PDB file of all heavy atoms in Angstrom:
ATOM      1  N   PHE K 108     -18.669  11.670  10.189  1.00  0.00           N
ATOM      2  CA  PHE K 108     -17.471  11.897   9.390  1.00  0.00           C
ATOM      3  C   PHE K 108     -16.240  11.832  10.285  1.00  0.00           C
ATOM      4  O   PHE K 108     -16.256  12.328  11.413  1.00  0.00           O
ATOM      5  CB  PHE K 108     -17.532  13.263   8.697  1.00  0.00           C
ATOM      6  CG  PHE K 108     -18.599  13.365   7.644  1.00  0.00           C
ATOM      7  CD1 PHE K 108     -19.747  14.097   7.877  1.00  0.00           C
ATOM      8  CD2 PHE K 108     -18.456  12.717   6.432  1.00  0.00           C
ATOM      9  CE1 PHE K 108     -20.731  14.193   6.916  1.00  0.00           C
ATOM     10  CE2 PHE K 108     -19.437  12.799   5.464  1.00  0.00           C
ATOM     11  CZ  PHE K 108     -20.580  13.541   5.706  1.00  0.00           C
ATOM     12  N   VAL K 109     -15.200  11.215   9.769  1.00  0.00           N
ATOM     13  CA  VAL K 109     -13.944  11.128  10.510  1.00  0.00           C
ATOM     14  C   VAL K 109     -12.800  11.479   9.569  1.00  0.00           C
ATOM     15  O   VAL K 109     -12.900  11.328   8.348  1.00  0.00           O
ATOM     16  CB  VAL K 109     -13.725   9.711  11.093  1.00  0.00           C
ATOM     17  CG1 VAL K 109     -14.831   9.347  12.059  1.00  0.00           C
ATOM     18  CG2 VAL K 109     -13.613   8.670   9.984  1.00  0.00           C
ATOM     19  N   GLY K 110     -11.710  11.955  10.156  1.00  0.00           N
ATOM     20  CA  GLY K 110     -10.516  12.242   9.381  1.00  0.00           C
ATOM     21  C   GLY K 110      -9.583  11.047   9.366  1.00  0.00           C
ATOM     22  O   GLY K 110      -9.570  10.231  10.297  1.00  0.00           O
ATOM     23  N   ALA K 111      -8.788  10.929   8.322  1.00  0.00           N
ATOM     24  CA  ALA K 111      -7.841   9.816   8.204  1.00  0.00           C
ATOM     25  C   ALA K 111      -6.612  10.283   7.446  1.00  0.00           C
ATOM     26  O   ALA K 111      -6.696  11.182   6.597  1.00  0.00           O
ATOM     27  CB  ALA K 111      -8.484   8.632   7.493  1.00  0.00           C
ATOM     28  N   THR K 112      -5.482   9.653   7.755  1.00  0.00           N
ATOM     29  CA  THR K 112      -4.225   9.951   7.066  1.00  0.00           C
ATOM     30  C   THR K 112      -3.855   8.774   6.179  1.00  0.00           C
ATOM     31  O   THR K 112      -3.851   7.615   6.636  1.00  0.00           O
ATOM     32  CB  THR K 112      -3.094  10.214   8.074  1.00  0.00           C
ATOM     33  OG1 THR K 112      -3.443  11.337   8.874  1.00  0.00           O
ATOM     34  CG2 THR K 112      -1.789  10.518   7.343  1.00  0.00           C
ATOM     35  N   LEU K 113      -3.565   9.058   4.929  1.00  0.00           N
ATOM     36  CA  LEU K 113      -3.244   8.001   3.976  1.00  0.00           C
ATOM     37  C   LEU K 113      -1.870   7.402   4.279  1.00  0.00           C
ATOM     38  O   LEU K 113      -0.902   8.129   4.502  1.00  0.00           O
ATOM     39  CB  LEU K 113      -3.266   8.578   2.559  1.00  0.00           C
ATOM     40  CG  LEU K 113      -2.977   7.598   1.418  1.00  0.00           C
ATOM     41  CD1 LEU K 113      -4.104   6.575   1.294  1.00  0.00           C
ATOM     42  CD2 LEU K 113      -2.802   8.358   0.109  1.00  0.00           C
ATOM     43  N   ARG K 114      -1.810   6.065   4.280  1.00  0.00           N
ATOM     44  CA  ARG K 114      -0.539   5.371   4.477  1.00  0.00           C
ATOM     45  C   ARG K 114       0.008   4.857   3.149  1.00  0.00           C
ATOM     46  O   ARG K 114       1.175   5.003   2.834  1.00  0.00           O
ATOM     47  CB  ARG K 114      -0.725   4.209   5.457  1.00  0.00           C
ATOM     48  CG  ARG K 114      -1.131   4.645   6.863  1.00  0.00           C
ATOM     49  CD  ARG K 114      -1.349   3.447   7.770  1.00  0.00           C
ATOM     50  NE  ARG K 114      -0.148   2.619   7.839  1.00  0.00           N
ATOM     51  CZ  ARG K 114       0.866   2.839   8.669  1.00  0.00           C
ATOM     52  NH1 ARG K 114       0.824   3.886   9.501  1.00  0.00           N
ATOM     53  NH2 ARG K 114       1.923   2.049   8.680  1.00  0.00           N
ATOM     54  N   SER K 115      -0.881   4.239   2.350  1.00  0.00           N
ATOM     55  CA  SER K 115      -0.453   3.709   1.058  1.00  0.00           C
ATOM     56  C   SER K 115      -1.682   3.459   0.197  1.00  0.00           C
ATOM     57  O   SER K 115      -2.805   3.391   0.699  1.00  0.00           O
ATOM     58  CB  SER K 115       0.348   2.406   1.232  1.00  0.00           C
ATOM     59  OG  SER K 115      -0.464   1.403   1.823  1.00  0.00           O
ATOM     60  N   VAL K 116      -1.452   3.348  -1.123  1.00  0.00           N
ATOM     61  CA  VAL K 116      -2.525   3.059  -2.074  1.00  0.00           C
ATOM     62  C   VAL K 116      -2.077   1.920  -2.974  1.00  0.00           C
ATOM     63  O   VAL K 116      -0.970   1.950  -3.535  1.00  0.00           O
ATOM     64  CB  VAL K 116      -2.862   4.286  -2.943  1.00  0.00           C
ATOM     65  CG1 VAL K 116      -3.935   3.929  -3.966  1.00  0.00           C
ATOM     66  CG2 VAL K 116      -3.326   5.440  -2.073  1.00  0.00           C
ATOM     67  N   GLU K 117      -2.953   0.931  -3.131  1.00  0.00           N
ATOM     68  CA  GLU K 117      -2.700  -0.171  -4.048  1.00  0.00           C
ATOM     69  C   GLU K 117      -3.948  -0.411  -4.857  1.00  0.00           C
ATOM     70  O   GLU K 117      -4.996  -0.776  -4.312  1.00  0.00           O
ATOM     71  CB  GLU K 117      -2.316  -1.435  -3.274  1.00  0.00           C
ATOM     72  CG  GLU K 117      -1.923  -2.599  -4.190  1.00  0.00           C
ATOM     73  CD  GLU K 117      -1.415  -3.801  -3.419  1.00  0.00           C
ATOM     74  OE1 GLU K 117      -1.188  -3.668  -2.217  1.00  0.00           O
ATOM     75  OE2 GLU K 117      -1.262  -4.870  -4.032  1.00  0.00           O
ATOM     76  N   ASP K 118      -3.841  -0.184  -6.163  1.00  0.00           N
ATOM     77  CA  ASP K 118      -5.006  -0.234  -7.054  1.00  0.00           C
ATOM     78  C   ASP K 118      -6.061   0.752  -6.550  1.00  0.00           C
ATOM     79  O   ASP K 118      -5.832   1.941  -6.546  1.00  0.00           O
ATOM     80  CB  ASP K 118      -5.543  -1.660  -7.163  1.00  0.00           C
ATOM     81  CG  ASP K 118      -4.539  -2.589  -7.837  1.00  0.00           C
ATOM     82  OD1 ASP K 118      -3.778  -2.092  -8.683  1.00  0.00           O
ATOM     83  OD2 ASP K 118      -4.496  -3.780  -7.489  1.00  0.00           O
ATOM     84  N   THR K 119      -7.219   0.244  -6.133  1.00  0.00           N
ATOM     85  CA  THR K 119      -8.287   1.129  -5.647  1.00  0.00           C
ATOM     86  C   THR K 119      -8.528   0.958  -4.148  1.00  0.00           C
ATOM     87  O   THR K 119      -9.603   1.272  -3.645  1.00  0.00           O
ATOM     88  CB  THR K 119      -9.594   0.851  -6.401  1.00  0.00           C
ATOM     89  OG1 THR K 119      -9.962  -0.515  -6.225  1.00  0.00           O
ATOM     90  CG2 THR K 119      -9.449   1.164  -7.875  1.00  0.00           C
ATOM     91  N   THR K 120      -7.523   0.484  -3.442  1.00  0.00           N
ATOM     92  CA  THR K 120      -7.638   0.298  -1.998  1.00  0.00           C
ATOM     93  C   THR K 120      -6.595   1.146  -1.285  1.00  0.00           C
ATOM     94  O   THR K 120      -5.415   1.132  -1.642  1.00  0.00           O
ATOM     95  CB  THR K 120      -7.447  -1.181  -1.608  1.00  0.00           C
ATOM     96  OG1 THR K 120      -8.423  -1.981  -2.287  1.00  0.00           O
ATOM     97  CG2 THR K 120      -7.606  -1.361  -0.105  1.00  0.00           C
ATOM     98  N   ALA K 121      -7.052   1.880  -0.288  1.00  0.00           N
ATOM     99  CA  ALA K 121      -6.159   2.737   0.482  1.00  0.00           C
ATOM    100  C   ALA K 121      -6.031   2.216   1.899  1.00  0.00           C
ATOM    101  O   ALA K 121      -7.022   1.794   2.519  1.00  0.00           O
ATOM    102  CB  ALA K 121      -6.696   4.164   0.503  1.00  0.00           C
ATOM    103  N   SER K 122      -4.815   2.240   2.404  1.00  0.00           N
ATOM    104  CA  SER K 122      -4.563   1.933   3.805  1.00  0.00           C
ATOM    105  C   SER K 122      -4.447   3.252   4.548  1.00  0.00           C
ATOM    106  O   SER K 122      -3.638   4.113   4.176  1.00  0.00           O
ATOM    107  CB  SER K 122      -3.279   1.120   3.958  1.00  0.00           C
ATOM    108  OG  SER K 122      -2.959   0.930   5.329  1.00  0.00           O
ATOM    109  N   VAL K 123      -5.268   3.427   5.603  1.00  0.00           N
ATOM    110  CA  VAL K 123      -5.314   4.712   6.297  1.00  0.00           C
ATOM    111  C   VAL K 123      -5.215   4.515   7.801  1.00  0.00           C
ATOM    112  O   VAL K 123      -5.476   3.426   8.324  1.00  0.00           O
ATOM    113  CB  VAL K 123      -6.617   5.474   5.973  1.00  0.00           C
ATOM    114  CG1 VAL K 123      -6.757   5.727   4.480  1.00  0.00           C
ATOM    115  CG2 VAL K 123      -7.834   4.719   6.495  1.00  0.00           C
ATOM    116  N   THR K 124      -4.831   5.605   8.464  1.00  0.00           N
ATOM    117  CA  THR K 124      -4.859   5.668   9.924  1.00  0.00           C
ATOM    118  C   THR K 124      -5.933   6.664  10.323  1.00  0.00           C
ATOM    119  O   THR K 124      -5.922   7.817   9.874  1.00  0.00           O
ATOM    120  CB  THR K 124      -3.502   6.122  10.486  1.00  0.00           C
ATOM    121  OG1 THR K 124      -2.490   5.189  10.107  1.00  0.00           O
ATOM    122  CG2 THR K 124      -3.566   6.203  12.010  1.00  0.00           C
ATOM    123  N   LEU K 125      -6.884   6.221  11.145  1.00  0.00           N
ATOM    124  CA  LEU K 125      -7.980   7.089  11.562  1.00  0.00           C
ATOM    125  C   LEU K 125      -7.457   8.158  12.525  1.00  0.00           C
ATOM    126  O   LEU K 125      -6.745   7.847  13.485  1.00  0.00           O
ATOM    127  CB  LEU K 125      -9.079   6.265  12.240  1.00  0.00           C
ATOM    128  CG  LEU K 125      -9.708   5.160  11.379  1.00  0.00           C
ATOM    129  CD1 LEU K 125     -10.768   4.405  12.173  1.00  0.00           C
ATOM    130  CD2 LEU K 125     -10.314   5.735  10.107  1.00  0.00           C
ATOM    131  N   GLU K 126      -7.794   9.416  12.259  1.00  0.00           N
ATOM    132  CA  GLU K 126      -7.318  10.526  13.074  1.00  0.00           C
ATOM    133  C   GLU K 126      -8.394  11.094  13.995  1.00  0.00           C
ATOM    134  O   GLU K 126      -8.127  11.989  14.793  1.00  0.00           O
ATOM    135  CB  GLU K 126      -6.792  11.645  12.168  1.00  0.00           C
ATOM    136  CG  GLU K 126      -5.649  11.226  11.264  1.00  0.00           C
ATOM    137  CD  GLU K 126      -4.394  10.828  12.042  1.00  0.00           C
ATOM    138  OE1 GLU K 126      -4.292  11.204  13.233  1.00  0.00           O
ATOM    139  OE2 GLU K 126      -3.539  10.134  11.476  1.00  0.00           O
ATOM    140  N   SER K 127      -9.611  10.598  13.891  1.00  0.00           N
ATOM    141  CA  SER K 127     -10.697  11.055  14.758  1.00  0.00           C
ATOM    142  C   SER K 127     -11.753   9.967  14.809  1.00  0.00           C
ATOM    143  O   SER K 127     -11.647   8.946  14.142  1.00  0.00           O
ATOM    144  CB  SER K 127     -11.301  12.375  14.243  1.00  0.00           C
ATOM    145  OG  SER K 127     -11.837  12.207  12.933  1.00  0.00           O
ATOM    146  N   GLY K 128     -12.776  10.185  15.605  1.00  0.00           N
ATOM    147  CA  GLY K 128     -13.836   9.205  15.720  1.00  0.00           C
ATOM    148  C   GLY K 128     -13.601   8.216  16.846  1.00  0.00           C
ATOM    149  O   GLY K 128     -12.578   8.251  17.542  1.00  0.00           O
ATOM    150  N   PRO K 129     -14.528   7.289  17.029  1.00  0.00           N
ATOM    151  CA  PRO K 129     -14.433   6.330  18.153  1.00  0.00           C
ATOM    152  C   PRO K 129     -13.265   5.357  18.040  1.00  0.00           C
ATOM    153  O   PRO K 129     -12.862   4.781  19.045  1.00  0.00           O
ATOM    154  CB  PRO K 129     -15.774   5.598  18.102  1.00  0.00           C
ATOM    155  CG  PRO K 129     -16.249   5.756  16.692  1.00  0.00           C
ATOM    156  CD  PRO K 129     -15.762   7.088  16.245  1.00  0.00           C
ATOM    157  N   GLU K 130     -12.735   5.150  16.841  1.00  0.00           N
ATOM    158  CA  GLU K 130     -11.618   4.213  16.665  1.00  0.00           C
ATOM    159  C   GLU K 130     -10.347   4.955  16.250  1.00  0.00           C
ATOM    160  O   GLU K 130      -9.546   4.459  15.475  1.00  0.00           O
ATOM    161  CB  GLU K 130     -11.981   3.146  15.623  1.00  0.00           C
ATOM    162  CG  GLU K 130     -13.180   2.293  16.040  1.00  0.00           C
ATOM    163  CD  GLU K 130     -13.511   1.210  15.016  1.00  0.00           C
ATOM    164  OE1 GLU K 130     -13.447   1.503  13.798  1.00  0.00           O
ATOM    165  OE2 GLU K 130     -13.832   0.095  15.429  1.00  0.00           O
ATOM    166  N   GLU K 131     -10.175   6.152  16.805  1.00  0.00           N
ATOM    167  CA  GLU K 131      -9.024   6.979  16.486  1.00  0.00           C
ATOM    168  C   GLU K 131      -7.713   6.232  16.746  1.00  0.00           C
ATOM    169  O   GLU K 131      -7.549   5.571  17.778  1.00  0.00           O
ATOM    170  CB  GLU K 131      -9.059   8.255  17.319  1.00  0.00           C
ATOM    171  CG  GLU K 131      -7.903   9.205  17.062  1.00  0.00           C
ATOM    172  CD  GLU K 131      -7.996  10.461  17.896  1.00  0.00           C
ATOM    173  OE1 GLU K 131      -9.038  10.658  18.563  1.00  0.00           O
ATOM    174  OE2 GLU K 131      -7.026  11.251  17.899  1.00  0.00           O
ATOM    175  N   GLY K 132      -6.797   6.319  15.780  1.00  0.00           N
ATOM    176  CA  GLY K 132      -5.493   5.683  15.910  1.00  0.00           C
ATOM    177  C   GLY K 132      -5.390   4.318  15.275  1.00  0.00           C
ATOM    178  O   GLY K 132      -4.285   3.809  15.046  1.00  0.00           O
ATOM    179  N   SER K 133      -6.533   3.710  14.945  1.00  0.00           N
ATOM    180  CA  SER K 133      -6.503   2.375  14.330  1.00  0.00           C
ATOM    181  C   SER K 133      -6.291   2.485  12.830  1.00  0.00           C
ATOM    182  O   SER K 133      -6.500   3.532  12.223  1.00  0.00           O
ATOM    183  CB  SER K 133      -7.805   1.633  14.624  1.00  0.00           C
ATOM    184  OG  SER K 133      -8.923   2.349  14.101  1.00  0.00           O
ATOM    185  N   ARG K 134      -5.879   1.376  12.236  1.00  0.00           N
ATOM    186  CA  ARG K 134      -5.639   1.323  10.797  1.00  0.00           C
ATOM    187  C   ARG K 134      -6.779   0.593  10.108  1.00  0.00           C
ATOM    188  O   ARG K 134      -7.293  -0.403  10.625  1.00  0.00           O
ATOM    189  CB  ARG K 134      -4.310   0.619  10.492  1.00  0.00           C
ATOM    190  CG  ARG K 134      -3.098   1.327  11.076  1.00  0.00           C
ATOM    191  CD  ARG K 134      -1.817   0.585  10.718  1.00  0.00           C
ATOM    192  NE  ARG K 134      -0.640   1.227  11.321  1.00  0.00           N
ATOM    193  CZ  ARG K 134       0.606   0.784  11.178  1.00  0.00           C
ATOM    194  NH1 ARG K 134       0.833  -0.316  10.444  1.00  0.00           N
ATOM    195  NH2 ARG K 134       1.612   1.408  11.757  1.00  0.00           N
ATOM    196  N   ARG K 135      -7.152   1.087   8.933  1.00  0.00           N
ATOM    197  CA  ARG K 135      -8.244   0.486   8.182  1.00  0.00           C
ATOM    198  C   ARG K 135      -7.912   0.520   6.690  1.00  0.00           C
ATOM    199  O   ARG K 135      -7.085   1.311   6.222  1.00  0.00           O
ATOM    200  CB  ARG K 135      -9.558   1.235   8.409  1.00  0.00           C
ATOM    201  CG  ARG K 135     -10.121   1.091   9.816  1.00  0.00           C
ATOM    202  CD  ARG K 135     -10.657  -0.319  10.045  1.00  0.00           C
ATOM    203  NE  ARG K 135     -11.302  -0.437  11.339  1.00  0.00           N
ATOM    204  CZ  ARG K 135     -10.683  -0.768  12.459  1.00  0.00           C
ATOM    205  NH1 ARG K 135      -9.355  -0.967  12.437  1.00  0.00           N
ATOM    206  NH2 ARG K 135     -11.350  -0.883  13.591  1.00  0.00           N
ATOM    207  N   SER K 136      -8.581  -0.343   5.935  1.00  0.00           N
ATOM    208  CA  SER K 136      -8.500  -0.342   4.469  1.00  0.00           C
ATOM    209  C   SER K 136      -9.802   0.204   3.927  1.00  0.00           C
ATOM    210  O   SER K 136     -10.885  -0.220   4.359  1.00  0.00           O
ATOM    211  CB  SER K 136      -8.243  -1.754   3.931  1.00  0.00           C
ATOM    212  OG  SER K 136      -6.969  -2.214   4.313  1.00  0.00           O
ATOM    213  N   VAL K 137      -9.704   1.126   2.983  1.00  0.00           N
ATOM    214  CA  VAL K 137     -10.883   1.791   2.434  1.00  0.00           C
ATOM    215  C   VAL K 137     -10.823   1.753   0.914  1.00  0.00           C
ATOM    216  O   VAL K 137      -9.764   2.008   0.320  1.00  0.00           O
ATOM    217  CB  VAL K 137     -10.956   3.260   2.913  1.00  0.00           C
ATOM    218  CG1 VAL K 137     -12.180   3.953   2.324  1.00  0.00           C
ATOM    219  CG2 VAL K 137     -10.980   3.337   4.424  1.00  0.00           C
ATOM    220  N   GLY K 138     -11.932   1.433   0.292  1.00  0.00           N
ATOM    221  CA  GLY K 138     -11.998   1.446  -1.160  1.00  0.00           C
ATOM    222  C   GLY K 138     -12.066   2.863  -1.700  1.00  0.00           C
ATOM    223  O   GLY K 138     -12.707   3.731  -1.106  1.00  0.00           O
ATOM    224  N   LEU K 139     -11.388   3.092  -2.817  1.00  0.00           N
ATOM    225  CA  LEU K 139     -11.382   4.410  -3.457  1.00  0.00           C
ATOM    226  C   LEU K 139     -12.046   4.334  -4.825  1.00  0.00           C
ATOM    227  O   LEU K 139     -11.879   3.336  -5.544  1.00  0.00           O
ATOM    228  CB  LEU K 139      -9.944   4.917  -3.634  1.00  0.00           C
ATOM    229  CG  LEU K 139      -9.117   5.160  -2.383  1.00  0.00           C
ATOM    230  CD1 LEU K 139      -7.701   5.576  -2.784  1.00  0.00           C
ATOM    231  CD2 LEU K 139      -9.745   6.214  -1.501  1.00  0.00           C
ATOM    232  N   PRO K 140     -12.780   5.363  -5.221  1.00  0.00           N
ATOM    233  CA  PRO K 140     -13.281   5.418  -6.600  1.00  0.00           C
ATOM    234  C   PRO K 140     -12.104   5.413  -7.569  1.00  0.00           C
ATOM    235  O   PRO K 140     -11.040   5.947  -7.251  1.00  0.00           O
ATOM    236  CB  PRO K 140     -14.036   6.745  -6.650  1.00  0.00           C
ATOM    237  CG  PRO K 140     -14.347   7.084  -5.224  1.00  0.00           C
ATOM    238  CD  PRO K 140     -13.210   6.525  -4.422  1.00  0.00           C
ATOM    239  N   PRO K 141     -12.270   4.814  -8.746  1.00  0.00           N
ATOM    240  CA  PRO K 141     -11.152   4.734  -9.710  1.00  0.00           C
ATOM    241  C   PRO K 141     -10.557   6.092 -10.047  1.00  0.00           C
ATOM    242  O   PRO K 141      -9.332   6.228 -10.170  1.00  0.00           O
ATOM    243  CB  PRO K 141     -11.794   4.086 -10.946  1.00  0.00           C
ATOM    244  CG  PRO K 141     -12.958   3.326 -10.408  1.00  0.00           C
ATOM    245  CD  PRO K 141     -13.463   4.113  -9.239  1.00  0.00           C
ATOM    246  N   GLU K 142     -11.411   7.125 -10.171  1.00  0.00           N
ATOM    247  CA  GLU K 142     -10.881   8.442 -10.538  1.00  0.00           C
ATOM    248  C   GLU K 142     -10.046   9.034  -9.418  1.00  0.00           C
ATOM    249  O   GLU K 142      -9.122   9.817  -9.663  1.00  0.00           O
ATOM    250  CB  GLU K 142     -12.023   9.405 -10.906  1.00  0.00           C
ATOM    251  CG  GLU K 142     -12.993   9.731  -9.794  1.00  0.00           C
ATOM    252  CD  GLU K 142     -14.132   8.735  -9.698  1.00  0.00           C
ATOM    253  OE1 GLU K 142     -14.022   7.647 -10.300  1.00  0.00           O
ATOM    254  OE2 GLU K 142     -15.123   9.049  -9.027  1.00  0.00           O
ATOM    255  N   VAL K 143     -10.350   8.671  -8.177  1.00  0.00           N
ATOM    256  CA  VAL K 143      -9.561   9.158  -7.041  1.00  0.00           C
ATOM    257  C   VAL K 143      -8.268   8.363  -6.924  1.00  0.00           C
ATOM    258  O   VAL K 143      -7.192   8.931  -6.681  1.00  0.00           O
ATOM    259  CB  VAL K 143     -10.372   9.059  -5.736  1.00  0.00           C
ATOM    260  CG1 VAL K 143      -9.507   9.450  -4.535  1.00  0.00           C
ATOM    261  CG2 VAL K 143     -11.605   9.948  -5.813  1.00  0.00           C
ATOM    262  N   ALA K 144      -8.364   7.069  -7.123  1.00  0.00           N
ATOM    263  CA  ALA K 144      -7.165   6.229  -7.032  1.00  0.00           C
ATOM    264  C   ALA K 144      -6.149   6.606  -8.100  1.00  0.00           C
ATOM    265  O   ALA K 144      -4.936   6.419  -7.916  1.00  0.00           O
ATOM    266  CB  ALA K 144      -7.548   4.754  -7.164  1.00  0.00           C
ATOM    267  N   GLY K 145      -6.613   7.158  -9.217  1.00  0.00           N
ATOM    268  CA  GLY K 145      -5.714   7.545 -10.293  1.00  0.00           C
ATOM    269  C   GLY K 145      -4.985   8.851 -10.042  1.00  0.00           C
ATOM    270  O   GLY K 145      -4.086   9.214 -10.798  1.00  0.00           O
ATOM    271  N   LEU K 146      -5.365   9.564  -8.984  1.00  0.00           N
ATOM    272  CA  LEU K 146      -4.671  10.805  -8.654  1.00  0.00           C
ATOM    273  C   LEU K 146      -3.320  10.493  -8.020  1.00  0.00           C
ATOM    274  O   LEU K 146      -3.062   9.376  -7.579  1.00  0.00           O
ATOM    275  CB  LEU K 146      -5.518  11.636  -7.677  1.00  0.00           C
ATOM    276  CG  LEU K 146      -6.868  12.143  -8.192  1.00  0.00           C
ATOM    277  CD1 LEU K 146      -7.622  12.846  -7.069  1.00  0.00           C
ATOM    278  CD2 LEU K 146      -6.679  13.094  -9.373  1.00  0.00           C
ATOM    279  N   ASP K 147      -2.480  11.510  -7.950  1.00  0.00           N
ATOM    280  CA  ASP K 147      -1.156  11.325  -7.344  1.00  0.00           C
ATOM    281  C   ASP K 147      -1.244  11.444  -5.827  1.00  0.00           C
ATOM    282  O   ASP K 147      -0.640  12.328  -5.204  1.00  0.00           O
ATOM    283  CB  ASP K 147      -0.172  12.362  -7.910  1.00  0.00           C
ATOM    284  CG  ASP K 147       0.086  12.157  -9.387  1.00  0.00           C
ATOM    285  OD1 ASP K 147       0.031  10.995  -9.816  1.00  0.00           O
ATOM    286  OD2 ASP K 147       0.329  13.151 -10.092  1.00  0.00           O
ATOM    287  N   LEU K 148      -2.012  10.547  -5.223  1.00  0.00           N
ATOM    288  CA  LEU K 148      -2.108  10.536  -3.774  1.00  0.00           C
ATOM    289  C   LEU K 148      -0.800  10.029  -3.180  1.00  0.00           C
ATOM    290  O   LEU K 148      -0.190   9.096  -3.698  1.00  0.00           O
ATOM    291  CB  LEU K 148      -3.262   9.641  -3.316  1.00  0.00           C
ATOM    292  CG  LEU K 148      -4.679  10.108  -3.713  1.00  0.00           C
ATOM    293  CD1 LEU K 148      -5.707   9.089  -3.273  1.00  0.00           C
ATOM    294  CD2 LEU K 148      -4.986  11.465  -3.090  1.00  0.00           C
ATOM    295  N   GLU K 149      -0.399  10.652  -2.076  1.00  0.00           N
ATOM    296  CA  GLU K 149       0.862  10.296  -1.449  1.00  0.00           C
ATOM    297  C   GLU K 149       0.640  10.011   0.035  1.00  0.00           C
ATOM    298  O   GLU K 149      -0.306  10.530   0.639  1.00  0.00           O
ATOM    299  CB  GLU K 149       1.882  11.433  -1.595  1.00  0.00           C
ATOM    300  CG  GLU K 149       2.233  11.758  -3.033  1.00  0.00           C
ATOM    301  CD  GLU K 149       3.192  12.928  -3.127  1.00  0.00           C
ATOM    302  OE1 GLU K 149       3.453  13.556  -2.068  1.00  0.00           O
ATOM    303  OE2 GLU K 149       3.668  13.211  -4.238  1.00  0.00           O
ATOM    304  N   PRO K 150       1.482   9.196   0.643  1.00  0.00           N
ATOM    305  CA  PRO K 150       1.382   8.966   2.084  1.00  0.00           C
ATOM    306  C   PRO K 150       1.440  10.292   2.839  1.00  0.00           C
ATOM    307  O   PRO K 150       2.251  11.163   2.546  1.00  0.00           O
ATOM    308  CB  PRO K 150       2.602   8.087   2.387  1.00  0.00           C
ATOM    309  CG  PRO K 150       2.871   7.379   1.096  1.00  0.00           C
ATOM    310  CD  PRO K 150       2.538   8.370   0.022  1.00  0.00           C
ATOM    311  N   GLY K 151       0.543  10.433   3.798  1.00  0.00           N
ATOM    312  CA  GLY K 151       0.452  11.675   4.549  1.00  0.00           C
ATOM    313  C   GLY K 151      -0.699  12.560   4.124  1.00  0.00           C
ATOM    314  O   GLY K 151      -1.056  13.494   4.850  1.00  0.00           O
TER     315      GLY K 151
END
């Protein structure tokens, strides 16, 4: 398990910055379940 900070959400895809793990500091795109993507997620 690793922590990540949300940068942005588009449809069901989130852009995040990894905060832990072997690739800490890198940016990745992660798929979100539709019910999660529909929440009021905000950068940070």
Side-chain angles (χ1 to χ4, degrees):
F108 293 106
V109 299
T112 299
L113 181 67
R114 296 178 58 85
S115 62
V116 177
E117 185 174 350
D118 295 329
T119 58
T120 302
S122 174
V123 301
T124 299
L125 301 179
E126 300 296 342
S127 60
E130 298 182 319
E131 180 179 352
S133 60
R134 298 181 182 180
R135 291 289 185 271
S136 294
V137 179
L139 297 177
E142 63 273 15
V143 175
L146 296 175
D147 294 329
L148 295 176
E149 298 177 353

